[in-house]
Amino acid sequence: MKRHGNLYPYIIDFENILLAARQAQKAKRFRENVLVFNYDLEHKLIEIQRELANKNYQPGAYRTFYIKEPKSRMISAAPYRDRVVHHALCNVIVPIIEPTFIGDSYANRLGFGTHRALRRFIKFARSSDYVLQCDIKKYFPNIDHEILKGLLRRKIKCPETLWLIDSIIDNSNEQLAIVEHFEGDNLLEPLQRRHGLPIGNLTSQFFANVYLNGFDHFVKEELKVKKYLRYVDDFALFSNDRGFLAEARLAIEEYLATLRLKIHPVKSQLFATRYGANFLGFRVLPNCIRVRTENLRRARRRLRNMKSDYVSGNINLEEVSQSLQSWFAHLEHGDTWELRKQIFTSLTWLRE
């Protein structure tokens, strides 16, 4: 396996840091923290470059908040200057590592995303009798720092780049308390190991794909599963042989244990595809695609709240328009004409 060195000069190159700043501010240009940063942009970027070059860069404290939809999760927002550094790092290391990902890993990858994942899921579901659909239990809070660093070192040998990666991982804020024991652990092992990545970081999204990349290859190459896909911590295996999928589940649980992960005991199920399956907010049935009722209610509620925030001046036209167009494109995949009509009406109203 080739390991890459001499990456750091590209990361701290001023042009790369400037590009990172432009990427970090997309759809956020008018937020107060971005405006303050951009007021003295060149000086701020030179300061970041100097800190990285001298290796005295220190990530700042996270701002945390909770979202309740579609489920309760803690979101961690890094300071804006740190988000610039995250983009600068990913601009260099993503092109090196991402080509090793399988073609059916869809989350947080340019040109992939939810729509391609949904189309692939539909194709697999309608050409198979059974599906083993799994969800990893508390995925981001359970990502083990030591294991993650080891996986990244299989592809990167540049000491300075590894120092920056370690700085970002080690600065992860405390996540939800998770105590999971695995074979060979002593009583205190789960408490002594550092684990958890902040949901909301660009680096966390990428590291989450790195963490399960070996697992993806295991399923495809060792278990010989021809129809498999993953979106973050949700993955599905399809086959006409129910027994094959039942055996695969046992092998999967054994492999994930080496990453100190477990599949959710309730959300992970093996069943016939003719009954329909839920994926990315849609209900995939043999003859139609529906948006789940709870997602329709959530979308209507968010639409009302967004209109209110716009009228109150809490968000600008660019942010509203971008969100509505994204929802419209997503809902086109299901039978949601009434809701799409409401969104279209909202877009027309905003342009007037």
Side-chain angles (χ1 to χ4, degrees), residues 15-50:
E15 291 297 322
N16 180 52
I17 298 174
L18 177 59
L19 173 62
R22 291 170 177 164
Q23 294 168 325
Q25 72 174 2
K26 284 184 178 178
K28 304 179 181 71
R29 287 183 298 163
F30 301 106
R31 294 186 181 179
E32 185 177 357
N33 60 338
V34 180
L35 291 171
V36 170
F37 188 91
N38 287 345
Y39 181 77
D40 194 15
L41 180 62
E42 185 175 358
H43 178 264
K44 294 286 179 61
L45 297 184
I46 291 174
E47 185 178 56
I48 289 174
Q49 184 186 42
R50 185 185 303 115

Side-chain angles (χ1 to χ4, degrees), residues 203-244:
T203 48
S204 296
Q205 296 168 356
F206 177 63
F207 292 159
N209 274 337
V210 172
Y211 203 75
L212 287 177
N213 185 34
F215 170 71
D216 292 337
H217 285 278
F218 169 76
V219 174
K220 295 285 291 182
E221 298 159 16
E222 299 295 325
L223 299 184
K224 307 294 184 184
V225 179
K226 295 180 179 179
K227 299 177 183 179
Y228 163 80
L229 61 83
R230 178 175 63 82
Y231 192 91
V232 193
D233 58 340
D234 294 326
F235 59 91
L237 297 71
F238 299 83
S239 175
N240 291 329
D241 186 342
R242 194 181 192 283
F244 170 73

